[in-house]
Amino acid sequence: MRAADVLRTLRHRAAVCACFICFASFVCVLCTGLSSCFARQKEIEFELDESDPLALAPDVQWIVVREPYVALRSAPGWSSPIASHCRRGQVLQIIGNETLVQESEPRTEKWYFVPGGWLPGSAVTICANKFLAESVSEKM
């Protein structure tokens, strides 16, 4: 056998081997892709409570009361008269807010207006939507 024939045979075998490797890789990728298509996925049940149209409104925030017992004030500030009360875990919609600057100390305090009165920011957790607020409330 001549050297040219040996060289041609080696090239042919290398080409066949390369084709086999490409084919095997393709089959592996195809099997992996198909197996993920036919895999059974667990169904997630989700029920949306539509009783409160503002529950998911992007511009409405909700409060969860953190303290065991909090007085709702008639105006923002600790010296304002008590208008009502609320308890830990109660979820309330924020209607407005105000930041008070205490003159005796150089610090500010945020107050939130909810149905029934004003709550201090130190006694509440702010949530982006009602469902998140209810989830936080359940974990308290």
Side-chain angles (χ1 to χ4, degrees):
M1 202 184 233
R2 294 185 336 200
D5 291 337
V6 171
L7 188 59
R8 191 175 322 133
T9 303
L10 288 175
R11 284 183 187 156
H12 177 71
R13 286 183 182 170
V16 169
C17 188
C19 286
F20 178 75
I21 290 173
C22 286
F23 178 74
S25 298
F26 173 75
V27 169
C28 287
V29 169
L30 183 65
C31 289
T32 304
L34 288 175
S35 68
S36 65
C37 289
F38 295 113
R40 292 188 181 249
Q41 296 192 4
K42 184 179 177 182
E43 289 187 26
I44 299 173
E45 292 184 26
F46 181 76
E47 291 183 31
L48 182 60
D49 179 11
E50 297 179 21
S51 62
D52 190 350
L54 297 177
L56 289 173
D59 57 341
V60 177
Q61 291 184 315
W62 298 81
I63 279 180
V64 180
V65 178
R66 285 192 316 233
E67 299 297 322
Y69 193 71
V70 180
L72 289 157
R73 304 286 176 160
S74 59
W78 294 106
S79 59
S80 300
I82 295 173
S84 185
H85 299 90
C86 56
R87 296 180 182 271
R88 178 186 309 218
Q90 196 168 349
V91 176
L92 301 164
Q93 180 186 343
I94 298 175
I95 298 171
N97 64 65
E98 189 170 320
T99 303
L100 295 181
V101 178
Q102 294 182 350
E103 295 176 13
S104 60
E105 300 176 25
R107 71 173 215 196
T108 61
E109 187 169 28
K110 192 93 166 187
W111 284 77
Y112 296 94
F113 184 59
V114 297
W118 290 85
L119 285 170
S122 60
V124 299
T125 299
I126 309 300
C127 296
N129 62 61
K130 186 176 182 180
F131 299 115
L132 178 60
E134 289 172 346
S135 175
V136 169
S137 174
E138 289 173 5
K139 294 176 184 174
M140 291 186 155

